[in-house]
Amino acid sequence: MISKVLIANRGEIALRILRACKELGIATVAVHSTADADAMHVRLADESVCIGPPPSKDSYLNIHQIVAACEITGADAVHPGYGFLSENAKFADILEAHGITFIGPTAEHIRLMGDKITAKQTAEELGIPVVPGSEGEVTEENALKIAREIGFPVLIKATAGGGGRGMKVAKTEADLMEAFNTARTEAASAFGNPAVYMEKYLGKPRHIEVQVVGDGMGDAIHLGERDCSLQRRHQKVWEEANSPALNVEQRMKIGQICADAMKKMKYRGAGTIEFLYENGEFYFIEMNTRLQVEHPITEAITGIDLVHEQIRVASGGGLSVKQDEIVFNGHAIECRINAEDPRTFVPSPGTITHFHAPGGLGVRVDSGAYQGYKIPPYYDSLIGKLIVHGRTRVECMMRLRRVLDEFVIDGIKTTLPLFQDLIGNQDIANGDYDIHWLEEYLAQTSE
Ligand code: ADP
C-alpha cells in the first residue's frame, strides 16, 4: 500500500494529484523551486521540500534532489504528473532502486514508447493502425527512395521528438533534402539526437487520442477518446470528449483495439494512444505513458477519477472498473487557460490582481492561481484549465459560453478572449475542424 506520495511537479497538476491523494487518505509531500514557495500546491500539501533554484533543470528535473526529498520525508511513492520527469525511464529506474514506487508504467514501457520508431513498430505488432512510413531511421542515402515509396508530401520527424519540434514537411522531391537536413539539425539541438524517420503527411486530419488504463497484470480498459484537433504550433488549445467526428461504433472499435493492445503489453497505469484521423481511418502517431493535461474531460464523461486509478494500479490493487461498466455520459470541453496574449501567444507572467473562477452545474476549474498570485516567468504558461460538461454537445457549448463570461482573471493577459471568439464560430459550433483549422483562423482574423 502507498501511504505517502511525493508530487514531483508544480502548478495545476500538482494540485490535481494532491486532491486525489487527500480523497484516498494518503499523505502528500510537495516539492518546489524557490520561485514556487507561495504556490497553492505547497500550501495545501502536508509537507513541502524546497528542491532548488528556479530553473527546471536545477529543481523539477533534479532527480538527485527529488530522491533526497523522498528519503527525508519518508515518501513511499512519487507521482510525476505530466512533463518534467513523467516520461523519464531513468527516473523510474532510480526510484525503484530506492524502493520507492513510481506511479506510472514500467521503465521498460516508458523507453519503448519514448522512442518514436520502436513505439510505432510496437504499436503495429500489437494490432494498432499506424501512419505509412519508413521502417526505421532515414538516412541521407535512403531518404529519396523511401519518400518515393511513401508518396509526397512526406513528413520528416525526430525519433526522440516531442512538442512538434524537429518536424518538417517536404511537399515535393525538390524540398526533400532541405527538409531532411533542417529536421536533423532541429532534432540534434532540441533532443541531443539527430535521428529522424519519415511518414506520409496527412493533409486534413483530426487529432484523436484514446485514454487507456492497464493494471500491469494483463487487464486493461479504454475510456473513450478525446479530440484535440484545435492546436497552435502542435500545442493543444481546446479539447473535447467525445470527438464530434466519431459515432459510437467507431469509438468502441478503436477503443477496444487500444485496450487489447495494452492487455497484450501488460501495460501498467494511465496512457494515451494518439492518432491522426482522416477519411474514417486511424493512424497511430505516438503513445504518451503518463497522465495528459486534458484528462479531466474523460473524467467528466465517465465519472472515473484517473489519478485514483493510477494510484490503485501502482499499489497493485487493480482497476476499479470493468470495461462493460463504463458509461459515456454527455459531452465535455476543456479550454487551456494560459498566461499569454490571446493573439500572439507571447507569455504574460506577472501578478494576478483579481481572480474569480466560475461555478455551477457541470463546471470544473483546475488551477493553482489565486488573487495576488505572482506567476513566475520560468515555466510553462498554463495557469489553469476550464472543463465544462453537458448532457449533449449543444448544452456543453451553451454552458461554456456562460462560464467564459463569468471567469475573471485580471493583471495579466490570458487566452480567455480566444475562447470567447471560438465559442461564437460556426465551424466550432458544428464540430467541423481539423488540425490546421485554428492556425488558419488566427491568420485570417489577425489581418
Ligand atoms: P510530438 O511528439 O512532437 O508532439 P506527434 O507525433 O505527436 O509529435 O505529432 C504532433 C502533431 O504534428 C500532431 O498532432 C499533428 O498535428 C502533426 N503531425 C504528426 N504526424 C503527422 C502526419 N503524418 N501528417 C500530418 N500531420 C502530422
Side-chain angles (χ1 to χ4, degrees), residues 116 155 157 162-164 199-200 202 207 231 234 276 286 435:
K116 297 220 168 187
L155 186 65
K157 299 171 81 171
E199 268 177 6
K200 180 166 188 55
L202 302 169
H207 173 116
Q231 302 180 355
H234 303 302
L276 294 178
E286 68 169 339
I435 60 168

Side-chain angles (χ1 to χ4, degrees), residues 197-208:
Y197 65 108
M198 205 184 284
E199 268 177 6
K200 180 166 188 55
Y201 179 73
L202 302 169
K204 292 198 140 304
R206 298 181 79 111
H207 173 116
I208 297 181

